[in-house]
Amino acid sequence: MLVLHCPVCGIEGEEADFHCGGEAHLVRPQSHDPENVSDEVLRDYLYLRQNPRGLHCEMWQCTRGCGKWFNAVRDTVTMEFKAFYRMDQKAPDLANFDEGQS
Amino acid sequence: MNRYSIFTLARNALTFHKGWQKAWRSPEPKSEYDVVIVGAGGHGLATAYYLAKEHGVTNVAILDKGWLGGGNTGRNTTIIRSNYLQPESIAIYELSRSLYEGLSQELNFNIMFSPRGLLNLCLTEHELRVFKRIVHANRIAGLDTQFLSREEVKGLVPLINDSPDARYPLLGALYQPRGGTARHDAIAWGYARGADALGVDVIQNCAVTGISRRGGSVTGVDTTRGKIKAKKVAVVAAGHTSVIMDMAGVRMPLESVALQAMVSEPVKPMLDVVVMAGAVHGYVSQSDKGELVIGGGADACNNYSQRGSIPALEHTATALLELFPAFSRMRMLRQWGGIVDMSADRSPVIGETDVKGLYVNCGWGTGGFKAIPGSGFVFADSIANDRPHPIAEPFGLNRFLEGRMVDESTAAAVAH
């Protein structure tokens, strides 16, 4: 059973107490005129995913706690959570990831 | 190839079975091939077999980082059906199911295809409507499926919980009489033996570590056993497709998830059809050995751990008991997980990529086993002729650019 820690309300819970929302830090193409957004950019945003074997930044929702969304860094092979951080925090540098930084 | 028959069995029995040959060679990789296939699972082996048999392309190597059929081919619940909703899906899954019918004879290898009949239970009003719609869609496509009433389902599966007080009352079922199961390992072994006999090199314990390119074209692969040049490279790596394609700088519309299954202790025959139930998220059949083969939902978050999570396991057991309260005293023998590659629309991705000579066949998600023969057949045709086979065409990677989804996510027997 995975154990998560919500950085918003501070509770600790099992994975069934949370809901995974998939890859984090995907940014919707910004434009006042949708014509300016190419099919390629929209495809990349909607469908293409990193799907790494290793560290992965992802969104989780604290469904049985405060209800807020937050981000987490998890190793997709060992299933270990390396960090939990709020939505307004920047994505950690996974290439030089230091477990002590969060 | 040493042909298997009652006569070879008798002849070998006279010599105390010391004369059997190996089913396939274990060659050293050559320095160059026309086609290199990455991943020796069912889909890859079927591709190699049909490349050699249907298209005369025999200078082919099929590489696997482990042993052949050691990934999802050996980890699934062996269910075969083609009762899909979309015409594109019906075409490819029914091609596959019909190839299964004659595969034992074609490969001269008993794949133990058992078209015992398959039920998709309707446990909610919504499912009732969806499955009735699927029956109509199937009939238009000429597929033999029918709608069964509650009483007819009870007749086929006497053990099922049909109490009107059930949390999910049984309302009927979508029935495919020629759906069923087959021996999963035998599919891999049969195709490997067939491909090997036609001259394909099946190379195990050879992991691909890089994909070489020059000027936008693929030139070969780097492996743990040296560089191999190739005119064409076909990636058929299921859950690890994103990792392999990343070596060529291609990002995929995939997320890899562990899907788990379990097997009970063997018991006397009590279930002679395959039962699937999407509302409670479980499916079960009984193997020839008497074990119940049970599958359910995938993990909640993407991962590459071939274990599966405990909540998903509990969810599957709960689903099974909802259908068959009598199973509450069954003991489970084994549990395992496989890494499935879920595409955005839950349909496969078959065809070419932006890198010339690099082909991909993936995204079969939780239902790849049933598709092995058809997938290999159309993929081999697409590689050999440098254009998509008509049945593979709707499943090209370009559909994500064009917004042309083949949406099976709401029509799947078990929604993931």
Side-chain angles (χ1 to χ4, degrees), chain B residues 241-254:
Chain B
T241 303
S242 294
V243 178
I244 303 278
M245 294 301 280
D246 189 47
M247 296 173 187
V250 180
R251 264 179 84 196
M252 299 297 294
L254 297 174

Side-chain angles (χ1 to χ4, degrees), chain B residues 30-70:
Chain B
K30 290 192 279 185
S31 61
E32 188 168 359
Y33 289 94
D34 290 341
V35 181
V36 164
I37 298 170
V38 183
H43 290 260
L45 290 161
T47 306
Y49 174 77
Y50 290 117
L51 266 176
K53 181 176 172 265
E54 301 289 331
H55 307 283
V57 183
T58 56
N59 189 18
V60 176
I62 176 161
L63 316 177
D64 201 284
K65 67 175 174 180
W67 64 95
L68 64 87

Side-chain angles (χ1 to χ4, degrees), chain B residues 164-175:
Chain B
D165 300 330
R167 168 70 182 82
Y168 291 98
L170 178 64
L171 303 174
L174 165 65
Y175 181 49

Side-chain angles (χ1 to χ4, degrees), chain A residues 1-2 15 20 22-23 39-40 43-44 47-53 56 58 60 74 76-79, chain B residues 239-240 242-243 251-256 299-305 307 309-311 344 400-401 405:
Chain A
M1 186 73 85
L2 302 179
E15 59 184 294
C20 184
E23 188 174 327
D39 290 351
E40 283 78 9
R43 172 202 57 192
D44 293 0
Y47 303 121
L48 299 196
R49 296 291 177 262
Q50 303 277 346
N51 196 22
R53 188 182 159 86
H56 184 236
E58 60 196 17
W60 284 83
R74 181 176 53 92
T76 60
V77 180
T78 64
M79 303 297 273
Chain B
H240 288 75
S242 294
V243 178
R251 264 179 84 196
M252 299 297 294
L254 297 174
E255 287 191 291
S256 298
D299 278 6
C301 53
N302 60 317
N303 66 77
Y304 289 84
S305 76
R307 294 191 297 263
S309 72
I310 293 169
F400 296 99
L401 187 63
M405 301 296 132

Side-chain angles (χ1 to χ4, degrees), chain B residues 83 117-122 128 131-139 142-149 152-153 156 172-179:
Chain B
N83 53 357
L118 180 139
L119 291 166
N120 284 126
L121 302 183
C122 305
L128 191 75
F131 286 135
K132 281 188 171 171
R133 184 182 169 204
I134 293 179
V135 168
H136 293 313
N138 289 170
R139 286 200 164 171
L143 212 67
D144 179 21
T145 64
Q146 47 194 274
F147 193 82
L148 297 190
S149 68
E152 289 171 308
V153 173
L156 281 172
L174 165 65
Y175 181 49
Q176 184 168 28
R178 295 297 287 178

